[in-house]
Amino acid sequence: MPVQKLLTVQPRGFCAGVERAIEVVDRLLETVGTPLYVRREIVHNQAVVAGFRERGVVFVDELSEVPDGATVVFSAHGVAPAVREDAVRRGLRVIDATCPLVTKVHVEVVQHVAQEREMVLIGHAGHDEVLGTMGEAPGRITLVTGVEDVAKLDFPPGTEVACSTQTTLSVDETRDIVAALRARYPDLIEPANSDICYATQNRQDAVKALVAEGMEYLLVVGSATSSNSRRLCEVAINQGVPAKLIDGPEDIDLAELKNIGLVGLTAGASAPEHLVQAVVARLRDEGWREEELVTLQENVKFSLPKELA
């Protein structure tokens, strides 16, 4: 049987926003202790959430589940102003772990709505980030999930239309949606800099580099709730390479990989590196030879919220 190669790629795994959010919870566990409440999953990864639960963190869907006066962390995905107002009304101590790149999108949306523009948000319905962004101006933002939704827009001719995007989308798919918007509304106002986060872009580019190296199958470490992890699978599949999203080594289907000569391995922006290394160890034990492809080095770092800095 020929030698089977496992090609890992950098960059992968945690982005600066995820690192910041996790450090927020770590610091609060050290300084405030438990019970510590987090609204929604701090980041979309089962292992990260489970690890914090074991340390006494209580994850809640809504603030009504948090006792008055308690400390609560807002997740990396951001929240609507109504949630912030509820926290103030309840006397909760809030530490906001919203990724600064998500906050950038919120600011854009508020500015466009204030200028009476029709606001289009490109994103996935029901995603925590989209819910928070849409909450900045309820009833004033139209969600577009695909090119087919653009044809359904009915803004009158001459209307000023602006668009923003969820930060964890497929770069290629978003480009197509924006092109469709631009075709219908030639004066479309777009973000000065792409709303898609640098890490999402870099990880998708890295998958394309794996395809160029002859990758025959892609493993993506990440949870099903992680939008950017699912997008990595889509990037490979759209280029004709099968891909599978796995939470860890227990999800590897060795029979499926039996006749594959070159498997690529990456991780979504919310997936911890120890899970990647566990996958590498499992395949190494099965005789796979590991090599690494580095497409670029990331050095982005976000400062902590002022309450913790």
Side-chain angles (χ1 to χ4, degrees):
M1 186 175 177
V3 173
Q4 291 179 300
K5 187 165 77 172
L6 175 67
L7 188 58
T8 58
V9 71
Q10 288 278 13
R12 64 171 179 263
F14 282 176
C15 62
V18 165
E19 288 176 344
R20 177 179 183 268
I22 288 173
E23 188 174 353
V24 164
V25 179
D26 278 332
R27 292 265 189 116
L28 288 170
L29 284 171
E30 293 169 6
T31 57
V32 176
T34 58
L36 175 66
Y37 295 86
V38 176
R39 183 184 180 275
R40 308 286 170 90
E41 294 185 347
I42 185 67
V43 298
H44 285 156
N45 183 269
Q46 288 185 2
V48 171
V49 171
F52 278 136
R53 276 205 180 100
E54 289 172 4
R55 295 169 63 189
V57 175
V58 180
F59 291 91
V60 300
D61 286 330
E62 301 301 339
L63 291 187
S64 58
E65 302 169 62
V66 180
D68 290 350
T71 299
V72 62
V73 179
F74 290 158
S75 79
H77 312 102
V79 299
V83 176
R84 298 182 189 280
E85 292 159 9
D86 187 28
V88 171
R89 190 166 53 248
R90 298 271 315 287
L92 302 177
R93 182 197 179 198
V94 171
I95 308 296
D96 188 358
T98 301
C99 173
L101 298 179
V102 173
T103 300
K104 166 186 175 286
V105 176
H106 282 234
V107 171
E108 287 171 2
V109 166
V110 169
Q111 291 174 341
H112 288 310
V113 170
Q115 293 177 48
E116 300 296 324
R117 292 170 177 144
E118 292 290 353
M119 187 68 227
V120 171
L121 178 66
I122 302 169
H124 295 289
H127 189 280
D128 286 340
E129 182 184 331
V130 166
L131 294 174
T133 306
M134 298 280 285
E136 289 288 355
R140 298 287 307 282
I141 304 170
T142 302
L143 181 64
V144 166
T145 61
V147 171
E148 64 281 0
D149 289 340
V150 175
K152 301 172 188 174
L153 298 175
D154 57 358
F155 305 136
T159 303
E160 269 201 313
V161 180
C163 74
S164 290
T165 78
Q166 183 180 330
T167 62
T168 55
L169 299 179
S170 158
V171 175
D172 296 334
E173 183 182 3
T174 303
R175 187 183 300 119
D176 292 342
I177 296 171
V178 172
L181 279 168
R182 204 182 294 121
R184 283 205 69 185
Y185 306 101
D187 296 324
L188 179 72
I189 301 167
E190 302 172 43
N193 296 301
S194 172
D195 287 334
I196 295 178
C197 120
Y198 77 95
T200 297
Q201 171 88 58
N202 291 346
R203 280 148 191 71
Q204 290 178 23
D205 288 346
V207 168
K208 292 176 182 178
L210 287 173
V211 173
E213 290 289 323
M215 173 180 67
E216 301 167 57
Y217 194 102
L218 176 67
L219 293 173
V220 177
V221 179
S223 294
T225 49
S226 167
S227 173
N228 77 85
S229 298
R230 295 202 310 274
R231 302 293 83 75
L232 295 178
C233 288
E234 288 176 4
V235 169
I237 291 167
N238 288 341
Q239 298 203 27
V241 177
K244 184 176 183 181
L245 187 64
I246 58 174
D247 271 300
E250 65 282 358
D251 293 335
I252 298 172
D253 186 342
L254 291 172
E256 205 167 46
L257 303 180
K258 186 172 63 173
N259 297 314
I260 303 293
L262 178 56
V263 167
L265 176 63
T266 188
S270 50
E273 179 63 16
H274 72 85
L275 293 178
V276 176
Q277 293 307 317
V279 170
V280 171
R282 172 86 194 281
L283 290 174
R284 190 187 296 125
D285 288 346
E286 295 293 330
W288 291 73
R289 177 169 56 85
E290 181 200 357
E291 293 183 15
E292 183 150 87
L293 172 67
V294 179
T295 61
L296 59 82
Q297 298 283 355
E298 291 178 342
N299 56 6
V300 180
K301 180 81 174 170
F302 294 139
S303 58
L304 289 172
K306 62 182 184 299
E307 298 90 345
L308 300 179

